[in-house]
Each structure stands twice: as C-alpha cells, then as structure tokens.
Amino acid sequence: MEQLEKYDEYLKEHLSQKRYTHSKNVSDASVILAKKFGYPDVEKARFAGLVHDICKEEPEDVQYTLMMQSAMDVCAEERSAFKVWHGIAGAELLRTKFGVTDMDVLSAVRYHTIARAGMSDLEKIVYLADMISVERDYPDVETMRKKALESLDEGMGYALKYSLMKLVRRDALIPHHTVEAYNEILNKLHRQEG
C-alpha cells in the first residue's frame, strides 16, 4: 500500500522495539493469511497488519482524545477499558493525521482487539494475525495458529472464545461488539456443520 516506508518510520519512532517487532510480525502474518484465503489485496493486508498498533504506546490522554473523536461506535465498556483504546485511537489517527480513507483498513485497526459482527475478511485477517504472530507464546497459541490456518471463521470462533474466557476470568466488562461477533460466528459455524 501507499508509502509503507513512511508508516514504518513512524512506528519505529513511536513504538518500543518489542512493539515494533510485533507490528512487523502481524504484518507478515496478515500476508500469510491473505494469501492462504485468497484475499485479493495482499498489500492492503500487509499495511493494515503493520499499523494495527500504531497508537498502542501513546499516552493515555492522547489515546482517550483520539478515541472520543472517533465516529466509529464506541461503547461504554470500551471507554472504561484502557486496553482497547489503542485500536479506536489508531483508526482515528490514521484517518486524521495520515488521511487514510479506506474504511476496511480503518475498521481492521479499530476492531482488532474486540472484533464485531459483520467483520470483513480483512478485519478477520488482522484480528487473527495479531493472535498468531510469531512472537506470541501464550498458552494454547499453537492451537490458535492451527485454527486460524483452517479457515477465517474457525479461527475467529476459537479466538473469540479464548478472548471471552480471558475477559470473564479477569472480571472485565465485555463490549457488545465482542458478544455480537461471537454469536454471529457461532451461528455461522453451526450452520456449516448442519
């Protein structure tokens, strides 16, 4: 996509080495998933994966301001969970500072932590690439990688179940977007089985 080097330089300046490496890995994983599942614009997947965490290490006040400027449905549960602000803020930064107008890219960045019902293939690719990037080492990551490479829907079903269980164990609020994404994908997978 347009001037990838410009974004790469911005990320090097605004992210720690560890987060920058993660961003590069998610970009690579997005390319792998895009090719595997026949996504028609591999370069768009590369770009969306690269910039998904563009605001991850910005100060809380910067993330909050960008999030509150967003016109993309931000629910109360998200506003109270700092961990998810960076996705919303990142999409807003890409739109306002860099002039990114591709709504599929902006949605992929915005929803990469919480998902939503009606996700595009690009949104699923970035969500899953973030879960399976090469440096990830959480328990069950190998199963997650296997499911993600079976199909985008299988991967999303497994990833959402994993995420929901983690949120419940932490007594965290669950955004309605995540619940709706899980219900939608579960219904889809059940229909495919039947």
Side-chain angles (χ1 to χ4, degrees), residues 61-78:
D61 61 319
V62 172
Q63 290 190 39
Y64 183 80
T65 300
L66 284 164
M67 173 181 66
M68 295 310 287
Q69 289 171 356
S70 176
M72 298 173 104
D73 182 23
V74 181
C75 67
E77 292 79 15
E78 291 174 293

Side-chain angles (χ1 to χ4, degrees), residues 109-178:
V109 172
R110 189 263 182 260
Y111 291 104
H112 82 268
T113 54
I114 65 158
R116 70 178 179 114
M119 289 176 89
S120 69
D121 283 350
L122 181 63
E123 289 173 85
K124 292 175 184 177
I125 285 167
V126 173
Y127 186 94
L128 290 172
D130 190 26
M131 297 282 290
I132 66 169
S133 63
V134 71
E135 85 289 350
R136 294 288 198 197
D137 62 357
Y138 58 86
D140 219 20
V141 69
E142 289 307 323
T143 304
M144 183 70 251
R145 289 183 176 122
K146 181 176 171 289
K147 293 285 186 186
L149 289 167
E150 283 175 17
S151 82
L152 290 177
D153 290 339
E154 287 286 337
M156 286 303 299
Y158 195 81
L160 286 164
K161 183 176 177 182
Y162 177 88
S163 296
L164 284 166
M165 288 167 59
K166 199 163 108 179
L167 290 168
V168 168
R169 279 195 297 273
R170 284 197 346 238
D171 282 333
L173 295 173
I174 300 171
H176 70 88
H177 300 295
T178 309

Side-chain angles (χ1 to χ4, degrees), residues 1 44 70-73 91-92 95 100-111 116 120 122-123:
M1 191 146 177
K44 188 193 283 196
S70 176
M72 298 173 104
D73 182 23
E92 188 64 12
R95 188 183 71 77
V100 174
T101 57
D102 187 320
M103 282 308 295
D104 208 14
V105 169
L106 295 175
S107 289
V109 172
R110 189 263 182 260
Y111 291 104
R116 70 178 179 114
S120 69
L122 181 63
E123 289 173 85

Side-chain angles (χ1 to χ4, degrees), residues 14 62 88 94 126 185 193:
H14 289 84
V62 172
I88 306 158
L94 288 166
V126 173
I185 206 74
E193 289 168 7

Side-chain angles (χ1 to χ4, degrees), residues 18-85:
K18 181 179 178 182
R19 182 64 49 187
Y20 172 73
T21 300
H22 168 70
S23 297
K24 296 290 276 186
N25 290 343
V26 171
S27 182
D28 292 344
S30 295
V31 168
I32 290 166
L33 292 172
K35 288 179 178 175
K36 167 93 177 153
F37 298 112
Y39 183 72
D41 193 340
V42 172
E43 290 311 306
K44 188 193 283 196
R46 183 188 313 278
F47 174 67
L50 180 68
V51 298
H52 81 287
D53 268 353
I54 195 165
C55 274
K56 181 74 173 183
E57 293 176 339
E58 290 297 326
E60 192 170 324
D61 61 319
V62 172
Q63 290 190 39
Y64 183 80
T65 300
L66 284 164
M67 173 181 66
M68 295 310 287
Q69 289 171 356
S70 176
M72 298 173 104
D73 182 23
V74 181
C75 67
E77 292 79 15
E78 291 174 293
R79 287 193 297 274
S80 69
F82 174 65
K83 281 185 170 210
V84 304
W85 291 3

